[in-house]
Amino acid sequence: DDAAHPLPLRQRSDGAAAGLVLEPIGHYEVRLVCPAWFSDRSGIERPLRISLRHRGRPLPSQGGLTLLPADHTEESCELALISCIPEKGARSGQIAGKIIAEKEVRLPPSWAVVSWQTPRGPF
């Protein structure tokens, strides 16, 4: 079968699935592709961070890149501003994340028209 196959991928069990595609490229070779992703170039620094969610659950993300769901152009996602403050008694490196502002957006967002008023100021 030479057709591409959708493959939902979650970073964690309670997370939302990114829309990956498994493409055959040879007799015993496949390529894993995520055709849509979001790059956080907001410049927001710790203790704040941006998180992209789908239906309230976090999408797979690492180093400012978030993999988007397959239906990202048809359904809205939530852009969340998260406060990352170390929890008392947490082991070193563990960070608690509390959503302090959330905005529903269609992806890809047009930052020329998206305005976001948060408790920490406008973005």
Side-chain angles (χ1 to χ4, degrees):
D1 183 2
D2 290 339
H5 300 277
L7 178 69
L9 173 81
R10 288 175 174 75
Q11 190 169 21
R12 48 191 234 203
S13 61
D14 64 341
L20 291 156
V21 178
L22 196 62
E23 298 176 342
I25 58 171
H27 205 55
Y28 295 104
E29 297 176 280
V30 294
R31 175 178 29 227
L32 194 57
V33 179
C34 185
W37 42 274
F38 173 84
S39 176
D40 178 5
R41 296 175 43 189
S42 66
I44 293 174
E45 295 179 1
R46 287 208 178 265
L48 300 175
R49 70 178 171 88
I50 295 285
S51 173
L52 203 56
R53 298 165 173 269
H54 187 238
R55 298 181 186 155
R57 300 182 329 194
L59 286 157
S61 181
Q62 184 69 39
L65 290 177
T66 302
L67 305 180
L68 298 180
D71 58 1
H72 73 278
T73 58
E74 299 162 15
E75 288 192 30
S76 295
C77 287
E78 303 89 39
L79 193 58
L81 182 62
I82 303 205
S83 176
C84 302
I85 298 172
E87 269 185 16
K88 270 189 164 181
R91 287 182 283 157
S92 178
Q94 282 187 325
I95 305 283
K98 178 183 176 192
I99 296 174
I100 59 173
E102 200 168 32
K103 180 169 184 74
E104 191 172 296
V105 293
R106 285 279 199 173
L107 297 172
S110 171
W111 298 114
V113 296
V114 171
S115 109
W116 190 18
Q117 296 296 325
T118 75
R120 299 290 171 100
F123 289 99

